[in-house]
């Protein structure tokens, strides 16, 4: 209700409204303008009436009230109007352009746009200020007020703007502030069209009431309100739009974010549309229809009901997490997303209840959690009594991540439930299992460079040297739990070695250090990383007479492990930990020299690794406990190749390597939220390698290795390392 008029008898109020929208004669002393009159800074202060057909041009002028009659016009630039006992500027079927920082202040209405019969007035206010104690502006039917970069203020208990009938306010980059409501729309039975309030980059504020009020008790009104990009509605009572007195309103919000309620009195009606990333956070009380499109969103704040809900790539959020609200919809159509939460431990959920017809394809985005449900059960999320055969609800981003497992949506008749009976491993759990599994493959991937180096040492028996290698590997891992992942490793190793002073020069020992980084890509948006830092000792023995050789390695690693998981509701969770690993490897073989530089070297290799267990958690609350990870890998194989003597200490040696490998350890347990998983990678695989060693002179050698393997649980589609060695 309009402030200042609530106590009036309905008949008296109707008469007042009638007088407000039609012309009434001014009673104050004034200067009469007939034809065209220019006034400026030096013109004495006076009031003005512009006669029909006349024109008043005010530049840098100071005046009292200005009254512009039928067919006349006012051009006001950089001027000031101060009116006492009269309206600041009054137009009757007239036009006004007010700009250049002009200022209008009145103890009545600042700017009054009236009609003569059906002909209204038009005013354009640019970069100026208008204020009135009984209202910033009053518009009759068929009148238009354009505001650009301006401020419109109603002081006392008045509104910023009061529109009658089909009056129009267009505001761009402007601020409308009412001491009561921001904008009041009242009816005028002369006009059937709705009043319009169009905002772009503007704010309407009611400092003691709603932002916009449509209708009066006993006098119905119609209004179309468009809130464009960058605009806002603010009501001191938390109400953006209030519709009363059997009135009707539409509110279209485009690319703006509004916070507040829409309140519709019984007997009145309102429909709302949100479009183009707009959002509305608040209550919808007795709203007849809501349309949400193009990434727009309605954020509920309590249990709500809407007569008709149409979605077109828009969404509805059921309050904040843990509030658990209910939305009742008469009719549902289109396609959109409902953002919900569920708690298996208490059985509480957000709930969508469609009581009438339901059509379209809709998604549910249910909040994730790192905690496991206390008990296995179903959670009821949706009921659609009048569902169309083509009606479909599905989970956006797939199953919902709740603790160690993910939960699917199950349809039973007219109802949809969240169901966890299939025990789908969640991305958080998959990242945990992958990290605890990865350290052995990291360790073995680093070992390949050292094996190549020891082969070089045997070819150059009796020479000390220093070396460096860069390497990369890719592993495709299929786990027993179904949480498959890809691992891409890259790193480098540096080392130096020398001949030991015993054993007739047949023994050589060295030290190495290096770093590798492994990226893990898992399904459903999870990833992890392992950074490894290592230090090792190695030795080799070769009996030149018989061709027998032995290689031994001991290597200590520090692993820095981290996981980054995108959950089913789009949120991200992280976790990290570090641990140590220690492993040994021994290889025994014999190299047979054949004619024309050919050779064959059968061998067997055994490696054992132990990785420190660790407890850690993701920041969504998922708890992980890993036992010590162990690996025992045995290999049997052979290397065949040929050495080409290029003279002057140079040679080229291509070779192939075939091997059969078997992992013997089959029980590396991991617990996630007290759920036990067997991280078993045991099994056999075949390995194929090829390489080339080239000696450029007696001291400098280059080397390249390429590897492929495939078998139970692990495939290595490629592995490569290149290096250089300098001997002295």
């Amino acid at each position: 209700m309009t402030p200042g008029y609530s106590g009036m008898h309905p008949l008296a109020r109707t008469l007042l409204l009638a007088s407000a929208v039609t012309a009434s004669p001014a009673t104050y002393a004034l200067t009469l303008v007939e034809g065209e009159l220019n006034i400026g800074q030096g013109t004495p202060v006076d009031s003005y009436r512009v006669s029909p057909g006349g024109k008043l041009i005010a530049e840098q002028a100071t005046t009292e009230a200005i009254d512009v009659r039928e067919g006349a016009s006012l051009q006001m630039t950089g001027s000031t109007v101060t009116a006492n006992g009269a309206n600041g500027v009054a137009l009757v079927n007239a036009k006004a352009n007010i700009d250049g920082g002009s200022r209008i202040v009145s103890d009545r209405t600042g700017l009054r746009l009236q009609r003569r019969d059906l002909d209204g007035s038009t005013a354009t206010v640019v970069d100026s200020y208008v204020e009135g104690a009984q209202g910033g502006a009053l518009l009759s039917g068929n009148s238009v007020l354009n505001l650009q970069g301006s401020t419109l203020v109603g002081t006392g208990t008045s509104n910023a703007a009061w529109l009658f009938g089909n009056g129009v306010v267009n505001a761009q980059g402007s601020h409308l502030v009412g001491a009561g409501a921001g904008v009041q729309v009242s009816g005028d039975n002369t006009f059937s069209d709705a009043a319009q309030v169009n905002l772009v980059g503007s704010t309407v504020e009611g400092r003691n009431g709603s932002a916009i009020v449509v209708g009066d008790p006993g006098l119905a009104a119609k209004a179309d309100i468009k809130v464009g990009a960058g605009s806002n509605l603010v009501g001191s009572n938390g109400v953006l739009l209030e519709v009363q007195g059997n009135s009707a309103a539409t509110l279209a919000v485009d690319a703006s974010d509004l916070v507040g309620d829409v309140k519709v009195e019984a007997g009145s009606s309102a429909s709302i549309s949100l479009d183009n990333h707009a959002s509305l956070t608040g209550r919808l009380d007795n709203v007849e229809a809501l349309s949400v499109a193009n990434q727009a969103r309605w954020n509920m704040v309590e249990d709500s009901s809407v007569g008709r809900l149409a979605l077109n790539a828009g969404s509805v959020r059921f309050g904040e997490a843990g509030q658990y609200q209910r939305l009742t919809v008469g009719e549902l159509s289109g396609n959109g997303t409902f953002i919900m939460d569920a708690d298996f431990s208490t059985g509480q959920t957000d709930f969508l209840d469609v009581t009438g017809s339901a059509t379209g394809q809709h998604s549910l985005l249910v909040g994730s959690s790192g905690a496991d449900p206390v008990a296995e059960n179903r959670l009821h999320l949706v009921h659609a009594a009048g569902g169309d055969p083509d009606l479909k609800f599905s989970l956006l981003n797939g199953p919902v991540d709740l603790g160690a497992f993910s939960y699917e949506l199950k349809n039973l008749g007219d109802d949809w439930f969240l169901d966890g009976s299939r025990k789908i491993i969640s991305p958080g759990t998959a990242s945990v299992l992958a990290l605890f599994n990865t350290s052995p493959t990291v360790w073995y991937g680093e070992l390949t460079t050292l094996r190549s180096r020891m082969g070089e040492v045997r070819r150059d028996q009796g020479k000390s040297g220093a070396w460096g290698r860069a390497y990369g590997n890719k592993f495709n891992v299929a786990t027993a739990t179904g949480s498959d992942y890809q691992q891409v490793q890259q790193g480098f190793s540096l080392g130096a070695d020398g001949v030991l002073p015993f054993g007739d020069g047949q023994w050589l020992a060295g030290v190495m250090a290096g770093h590798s980084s492994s990226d893990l890509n898992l399904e459903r948006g999870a990833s992890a990383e392992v950074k490894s830092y290592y230090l090792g000792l190695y030795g080799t023995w070769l009996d030149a007479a018989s061709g027998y050789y032995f290689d031994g390695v001991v290597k200590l690693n520090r692993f820095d492990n981290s996981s980054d998981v995108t959950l089913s509701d789009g949120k991200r969770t992280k976790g990290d930990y570090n641990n140590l690993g220690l492993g040994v490897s021994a290889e025994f073989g014999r190299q047979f020299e054949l004619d024309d530089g050919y050779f064959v070297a059968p061998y067997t290799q055994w490696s054992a690794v132990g990785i420190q267990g660790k407890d850690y958690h993701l920041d969504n609350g998922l708890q992980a406990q890993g036992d010590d990870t162990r690996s025992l890998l045995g290999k049997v194989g052979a290397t065949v190749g040929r050495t080409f003597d290029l003279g002057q200490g140079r040679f080229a040696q291509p070779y192939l390597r075939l091997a059969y490998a078997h992992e013997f350890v089959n029980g590396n347990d991991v617990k996630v939220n007290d759920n036990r998983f067997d991280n078993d990678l045991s099994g056999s695989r075949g390995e194929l390698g090829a390489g080339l060693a080239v000696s450029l002179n007696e001291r400098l050698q280059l080397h390249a290795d390429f590897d492929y393997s495939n078998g139970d649980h692990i495939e290595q589609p490629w592995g490569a390392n290149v290096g250089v060695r300098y001997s002295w």
Side-chain angles (χ1 to χ4, degrees):
M1 184 175 295
T2 306
Y5 300 94
S6 59
M8 284 189 175
H9 188 278
L11 178 59
R13 178 174 173 78
T14 302
L15 293 174
L16 174 63
L17 297 182
S19 67
V21 299
T22 55
S24 57
T27 58
Y28 44 83
L30 49 77
T31 296
L32 186 63
V33 178
E34 296 184 358
E36 182 174 309
L37 176 65
N38 289 269
I39 60 175
Q41 191 169 5
T43 304
V45 177
D46 201 356
S47 298
Y48 293 86
R49 175 186 289 173
V50 185
S51 298
K55 183 175 184 179
L56 177 63
I57 301 173
E59 295 185 6
Q60 305 297 322
T62 300
T63 76
E64 294 178 348
I66 299 176
D67 184 16
V68 186
R69 313 306 286 180
E70 295 91 332
S73 64
L74 168 67
Q75 176 64 54
M76 184 174 165
T77 302
S79 298
T80 300
V81 174
T82 304
N84 294 305
N87 301 309
V89 172
L91 308 176
V92 180
N93 183 21
K95 295 182 179 181
N97 291 304
I98 301 166
D99 57 32
S102 294
R103 182 178 178 87
I104 301 172
V105 178
S106 171
D107 60 358
R108 293 191 178 178
T109 303
L111 180 59
R112 189 181 183 108
L113 281 65
Q114 298 170 259
R115 63 182 173 89
R116 174 68 70 186
D117 296 327
L118 297 180
D119 298 321
S121 299
T122 300
T124 299
V125 182
V126 181
D127 298 329
S128 296
Y129 178 90
V130 178
E131 176 187 311
Q134 294 180 2
L138 182 146
L139 285 76
S140 71
N142 276 349
S143 293
V144 179
L145 172 60
N146 300 308
L147 299 171
Q148 298 177 27
S150 297
T151 301
L152 183 65
V153 179
T155 60
T157 60
S158 67
N159 312 311
W162 193 356
L163 284 67
F164 291 86
N166 62 350
V168 177
V169 170
N170 300 311
Q172 183 171 357
S174 297
H175 198 177
L176 292 75
V177 184
V183 172
Q184 169 77 46
V185 179
S186 295
D188 184 342
N189 293 331
T190 306
F191 303 96
S192 60
D193 297 338
Q196 296 181 38
V197 178
N198 302 312
L199 308 175
V200 177
S202 299
T203 297
V204 174
E205 179 180 358
R207 291 187 172 173
N208 188 26
S210 305
I212 300 177
V213 178
V214 178
D216 301 280
L219 189 60
K222 292 190 292 184
D224 293 334
I225 302 158
K226 296 180 180 179
V227 181
S231 298
N232 200 9
L233 302 179
V234 180
S236 65
N237 58 1
V239 178
L240 307 178
L241 173 63
E242 183 177 353
V243 187
Q244 58 186 11
N246 296 315
S247 299
T250 65
L251 173 62
V253 185
D254 182 89
S256 290
D257 299 315
L258 303 183
V259 178
D261 304 334
V262 175
K263 185 177 179 181
V264 183
E265 184 181 79
S268 296
S269 64
S271 61
I272 301 172
S273 64
L274 308 176
D275 199 0
N276 191 24
H277 297 271
S279 70
L280 171 60
T281 302
R283 299 170 181 83
L284 302 186
D285 184 2
N286 197 31
V287 169
E288 183 176 86
L290 171 65
S291 169
V292 188
N294 299 316
Q295 311 307 315
R297 178 186 293 184
W298 172 36
N299 299 308
M300 296 167 51
V301 296
E302 64 181 16
D303 291 350
S304 301
S305 62
V306 174
R308 297 189 305 275
L309 176 60
L311 300 178
N312 181 16
S315 62
V316 176
R317 180 180 179 88
F318 287 68
E320 298 299 322
Q323 292 182 340
Y324 304 117
Q325 297 170 358
R326 183 185 185 96
L327 174 61
T328 302
V329 177
E331 297 177 9
L332 174 65
S333 63
N335 62 87
T337 301
F338 296 92
I339 304 171
M340 313 173 84
D341 278 292
D343 187 344
F344 270 86
S345 64
T346 63
Q348 293 177 290
T349 71
D350 293 319
F351 188 73
L352 172 63
D353 184 15
V354 185
T355 59
S357 67
T359 61
Q361 299 188 358
H362 306 277
S363 299
L364 307 181
L365 181 59
V366 182
S368 64
S369 171
D372 276 2
V374 173
E376 294 185 11
N377 57 355
R378 293 175 180 167
L379 291 183
H380 195 185
L381 298 180
V382 178
H383 173 74
D388 185 87
D390 295 328
L391 174 67
K392 181 180 179 181
F393 289 95
S394 60
L395 291 173
L396 187 67
N397 302 327
V400 179
D401 303 327
L402 297 173
F405 299 99
S406 297
Y407 292 73
E408 298 175 298
L409 190 66
K410 192 168 186 178
N411 176 217
L412 296 174
D414 294 334
D415 299 281
W416 283 260
F417 298 84
L418 207 57
D419 180 76
S421 58
R422 285 186 56 204
K423 295 292 184 182
I424 300 171
I425 288 179
S426 70
T429 300
S431 73
V432 168
L433 298 178
L435 280 179
F436 283 124
N437 248 352
T438 299
S439 297
T441 55
V442 171
W443 197 91
Y444 289 126
E446 296 164 350
L447 188 64
T448 58
T449 63
L450 185 58
R451 187 182 188 281
S452 299
R453 167 59 184 150
M454 290 189 290
E456 291 176 342
V457 169
R458 291 192 297 274
R459 284 190 296 270
D460 264 351
Q461 185 182 13
K463 292 183 179 180
S464 302
W467 55 275
R469 289 186 177 276
Y471 56 91
N473 300 288
K474 180 177 181 179
F475 301 97
N476 297 325
V477 181
T479 68
T481 59
S483 54
D484 301 348
Y485 62 91
Q486 294 180 337
Q487 174 189 348
V488 177
Q489 179 187 30
Q490 54 187 355
F492 66 90
S493 297
L494 301 173
D497 42 53
V499 178
L500 297 178
F502 55 82
D504 296 330
Q506 293 179 322
W507 283 94
L508 182 143
V511 62
M512 64 173 292
H515 165 71
S516 75
S517 178
S518 295
D519 294 323
L520 279 63
N521 294 315
L522 299 96
E523 297 178 352
R524 295 175 58 199
S527 62
E529 183 180 37
V530 179
K531 291 185 179 296
S532 171
Y533 306 87
Y534 53 92
L535 181 67
L537 300 174
Y538 60 92
T540 186
W541 167 80
L542 172 67
D543 181 27
S546 64
Y548 285 106
Y549 70 89
F550 170 80
D551 297 330
V553 181
V554 58
K555 185 160 69 77
L556 176 67
N557 286 63
R558 172 193 165 95
F559 302 104
D560 291 344
N561 310 273
S562 62
S563 56
D564 189 351
V565 181
T566 299
L567 301 171
S568 57
D569 58 0
K571 297 177 182 177
R572 299 189 71 83
T573 184
K574 299 180 180 181
D576 60 79
Y577 68 98
N578 56 72
N579 57 349
L580 300 176
L582 180 65
V584 296
S585 177
E587 180 178 326
F588 181 75
R590 184 179 184 183
Q591 182 161 317
F592 295 94
E593 300 293 342
L594 307 176
D595 294 338
D596 297 325
Y598 287 99
F599 66 89
V600 59
Y603 69 92
T604 182
Q605 183 188 64
W606 293 84
S607 302
V609 184
I611 310 296
Q612 178 188 16
K614 205 76 172 182
D615 297 348
Y616 87 109
H617 66 276
L618 301 183
D619 52 20
N620 71 334
L622 187 77
Q623 302 291 326
Q625 298 173 301
D627 294 341
D628 290 347
T629 300
R630 298 173 304 278
S631 172
L632 177 60
L633 184 67
K635 293 183 183 181
V636 59
T639 302
V640 295
R642 185 180 184 185
T643 303
F644 295 92
D645 189 350
L646 304 179
Q648 298 179 344
R650 298 174 299 154
F651 67 82
Q653 187 183 78
Y655 56 88
L656 292 173
R657 183 171 58 251
L658 294 172
Y660 170 83
H662 184 81
E663 173 61 64
F664 290 90
V665 175
N666 60 5
N668 288 312
D669 288 342
V670 178
K671 289 177 68 177
V672 180
N673 288 356
D674 293 327
N675 298 282
R676 184 172 293 277
F677 298 90
D678 183 7
N679 237 4
D680 180 14
L681 293 182
S682 62
S684 302
R685 60 181 179 267
E687 297 183 350
L688 172 65
L692 175 66
V694 177
S695 174
L696 301 181
N697 53 50
E698 291 185 352
R699 297 186 180 276
L700 185 62
Q701 289 186 16
L702 302 178
H703 185 89
D705 259 329
F706 304 93
D707 297 290
Y708 170 82
S709 67
N710 197 2
D712 296 332
H713 298 302
I714 299 178
E715 177 196 16
Q716 183 184 15
W718 59 264
N721 75 82
V722 294
V724 60
R725 175 207 176 206
Y726 183 81
S727 57
W728 53 78

